[in-house]
Amino acid sequence: MYKIFDTVDEVSRYTTQRLLDKIRTQPTATLGLATGSTMEPVYAQLLASLHNSPLNVSKLTTFNLDEYIGLSADHPQSYNYYMHQHLFNQLDIPEESIHLPDGLTDNIDSACQCYSNAIKDKGGLDLQLLGIGTNGHIGFNEPLTSFNSRTHVVELSEQTRIDNSRFFNNKAEMPTHALTMGILDILEAKEIILVATGKHKAQVMAQLFHSSIDESLPASALKKHNNLTIVLDREAATLLPEQVCKNAV
């Protein structure tokens, strides 16, 4: 299902409402969370909504999609730091209920297996929030990642490193590898919301719409999911067929 809005603010308000509905109806939900510039207005709107109409979030469990290898949790460009700055520091979720891959783990294989197992032990993800890379990656699952993958190490593509290096003052600090939740972990979520905004996402969203389900475009795996919502602003939807845009308001 596509939902297309005129502005980023409307996208954020709709996505926030979906998150709030999940929290209200399922206070013990397990949420899969994403990072990146697309999510910042979503988390800002979520915090504003919870400030105006408080909900008990203390029983939630969260799992983030990914983390850079080599960055400590307090590094300003780590996703652990991002999540605490943009969300967790202002929410009453116990730290032990917050899960992110460990970018400094000494045993990567064990850490990956434990991460996927921890998701399974919680009964899977009740709702997974996703962004999408310009090359179609979800999480850090780059093109040609197996659709049967669990949490694993990925070498970041040149395109991903170019896209993300803008966040680093010194582009040489941009990591080459990351830990990411696998595509199968994502697909096993009971509900998925994919959010994309801006003109720079228009090409990949058109590619996703027209593509077959193929590992060369990781996000195409989402077409196999029976409870997927794709939320776009007008700019990200620019290259979609006119009829899709008409039906998605």
Side-chain angles (χ1 to χ4, degrees), residues 5-162:
F5 299 93
D6 289 335
T7 67
V8 171
D9 183 64
E10 290 175 289
V11 166
S12 300
R13 283 192 276 118
Y14 172 82
T15 306
T16 291
Q17 191 58 54
R18 292 285 297 272
L19 290 168
L20 291 171
D21 290 345
K22 176 59 68 175
I23 296 168
R24 286 193 189 96
T25 59
Q26 194 175 347
T28 61
T30 299
L31 304 178
L33 300 178
T35 54
S37 55
T38 303
M39 297 302 156
E40 290 182 23
V42 173
Y43 294 147
Q45 180 65 48
L46 178 61
L47 289 174
S49 296
L50 289 172
H51 177 77
N52 292 330
S53 300
L55 289 174
N56 182 4
V57 299
S58 64
K59 296 181 181 179
L60 295 175
T61 301
T62 69
F63 286 88
N64 261 77
L65 283 166
D66 40 37
E67 181 60 279
Y68 290 118
I69 290 179
L71 298 190
S72 63
D74 60 357
H75 189 287
Q77 296 306 328
S78 75
Y79 289 142
N80 195 310
Y81 186 92
Y82 171 106
M83 289 304 303
H84 282 82
Q85 288 295 111
H86 290 288
L87 193 64
F88 295 145
N89 286 347
Q90 300 176 68
L91 290 182
D92 187 26
I93 301 177
E95 195 66 31
E96 61 268 22
S97 298
I98 294 170
H99 302 84
L100 294 101
D102 180 3
L104 295 181
T105 180
D106 292 328
N107 190 334
I108 290 178
D109 290 341
S110 176
C112 289
Q113 184 174 354
C114 287
Y115 201 74
S116 288
N117 287 344
I119 296 171
K120 286 184 180 180
D121 289 345
K122 291 297 296 183
L125 302 166
D126 294 300
L127 187 154
Q128 175 66 61
L129 189 61
L130 290 177
I132 185 171
T134 58
N135 65 354
H137 72 234
I138 49 175
F140 270 134
N141 293 289
E142 300 282 25
L144 301 181
T145 299
S146 170
F147 286 168
N148 292 318
S149 59
R150 297 292 184 183
T151 304
H152 62 284
V153 177
V154 61
E155 181 176 1
L156 301 177
S157 70
E158 180 180 1
Q159 185 61 56
T160 295
R161 296 189 74 231
I162 290 171

Side-chain angles (χ1 to χ4, degrees), residues 150-221:
R150 297 292 184 183
T151 304
H152 62 284
V153 177
V154 61
E155 181 176 1
L156 301 177
S157 70
E158 180 180 1
Q159 185 61 56
T160 295
R161 296 189 74 231
I162 290 171
D163 289 346
N164 288 15
S165 64
R166 71 186 188 276
F167 298 113
F168 290 78
N169 292 328
N170 181 356
K171 293 186 178 182
E173 293 181 0
M174 174 68 204
T176 60
H177 292 74
L179 294 167
T180 186
M181 195 186 294
I183 292 177
L184 189 55
D185 294 314
I186 293 169
L187 291 179
E188 288 176 346
K190 299 174 182 67
E191 181 179 357
I192 296 175
I193 301 175
L194 174 67
V195 183
T197 56
K199 290 181 180 179
H200 65 297
K201 295 295 177 70
Q203 185 63 51
V204 73
M205 294 314 301
Q207 187 180 359
L208 175 60
F209 178 83
H210 292 290
S211 75
S212 59
I213 299 174
D214 191 290
E215 289 179 352
S216 64
L217 186 69
S220 69

